[in-house]
Amino acid sequence: MTVQILVVNPNTTASMTETIAAAARGVAGAWTEIIAVTSSTGPASIEGYYDEALAVPGLLMEIAAGERRGVQAAVIACFDDTGLDAARAMANIPVIGICEAALSIASFIAQRFTVVTTTERSRVPVEGLVQRYGMTGRARVRAADIPVLALEDPASGAIGKLRDEIARAVEEDRAEAIVLGCAGMADLAHQLQADFGLPVIDGVGAAIKQAEALIALGLSTSKRGAYASPLAKPYRGMLKSFSPGAVAAE
């Protein structure tokens, strides 16, 4: 039986969605259909807390629309795990964040590992996620000084900076594995793994395999406690359409 997994790029750059979709389809099982979408509302890239906050409404709209179409799980393809808690509270399907997925996969195969992300303003939120997911003693986070959109520009030197930072992680951190800290790096994992001779984990692929596992096990997000469905109440102004129940019914 075919299952459908929604992969949402919560920024508004469609070309990055294509990179993410290719990575997702490259690891998906033969029975899995990947539906990749680009948010229609929000920033062109997510770099720091401000971008992240303003990307959440568009992300939630895409997940709600996907659930109405009948997808069995959703993946948020941003390493900040943008809007993850809100999406889990809203949706009745499993929702996976690529940071949480990548860190858990890394913990299966290495005692210590390094996340290499884009810029300093992105490093700090990722460090917070490392702490939240209980990996502080095992994971270090580095920034390669790469604007997210530069990953798509061959003339930017971004890939060289990424390689240099990975080399420093191997030498200075004694990293046993590398986690790529941006969905826009998804297409680089296999080559970097071959080049450096150690596991390189792409969060998009990790999230797809975990979503498939949850679907196969018949598991979804608990609706007791923290991820209980939002209480009915009016929302006003620009967020009126996000009042509980309204976004799911659109």
Side-chain angles (χ1 to χ4, degrees):
M1 181 182 71
T2 299
V3 299
Q4 293 182 327
I5 297 176
L6 177 73
V7 180
V8 182
N9 174 12
N11 73 40
T12 55
T13 300
S15 56
M16 192 166 291
T17 306
E18 294 173 8
T19 298
I20 291 165
R25 292 181 179 120
V27 301
W31 60 90
T32 300
E33 179 185 358
I34 300 297
I35 300 174
V37 298
T38 308
S39 180
S40 62
T41 302
S45 62
I46 298 173
E47 295 167 286
Y49 296 119
Y50 185 80
D51 290 340
E52 182 179 358
L54 294 179
V56 173
L59 164 75
L60 295 179
M61 287 191 293
E62 295 297 344
I63 292 177
E67 187 169 9
R68 290 195 300 272
R69 292 196 301 265
V71 302
Q72 283 82 46
V75 168
I76 298 174
C78 174
F79 208 82
D80 288 356
D81 283 355
T82 301
L84 179 59
D85 287 329
R88 285 176 171 167
M90 177 193 73
N92 293 303
I93 55 175
V95 182
I96 310 295
I98 66 170
C99 177
E100 186 174 20
L103 294 178
S104 63
I105 290 290
S107 74
F108 297 157
I109 58 176
Q111 271 296 322
R112 55 183 168 191
F113 45 91
T114 297
V115 180
V116 181
T117 190
T118 50
T119 64
E120 182 66 17
R121 73 177 65 223
S122 296
R123 184 186 65 80
V124 175
V126 172
E127 281 189 337
L129 291 176
V130 166
Q131 182 176 18
R132 168 180 169 166
Y133 299 141
M135 299 289 182
T136 302
R138 300 174 66 176
R140 182 171 179 181
V141 184
R142 287 176 170 266
D145 191 27
I146 303 169
V148 170
L149 297 179
L151 289 165
E152 299 193 316
D153 179 6
S156 69
I159 307 306
K161 288 183 177 181
L162 176 61
R163 289 179 181 276
D164 290 346
E165 202 62 43
I166 291 173
R168 283 189 282 270
V170 173
E171 178 67 24
E172 298 172 11
D173 305 346
R174 298 185 182 273
E176 300 165 5
I178 297 295
V179 174
L180 298 178
C182 177
M185 301 174 181
D187 58 333
L188 304 174
H190 292 302
Q191 186 59 55
L192 292 170
Q193 181 166 294
D195 292 346
F196 286 93
L198 79 174
V200 175
I201 297 120
D202 154 46
V204 175
I208 293 299
K209 301 316 288 185
Q210 291 183 19
E212 288 179 336
L214 289 172
I215 293 168
L217 292 167
L219 297 174
S220 190
T221 308
S222 174
K223 287 299 169 182
R224 296 178 63 88
Y227 292 135
S229 298
L231 294 172
K233 67 189 72 171
Y235 282 34
R236 295 184 174 87
M238 294 174 63
L239 298 180
K240 182 177 180 179
S241 63
F242 286 89
S243 59
V247 67
E250 286 184 0

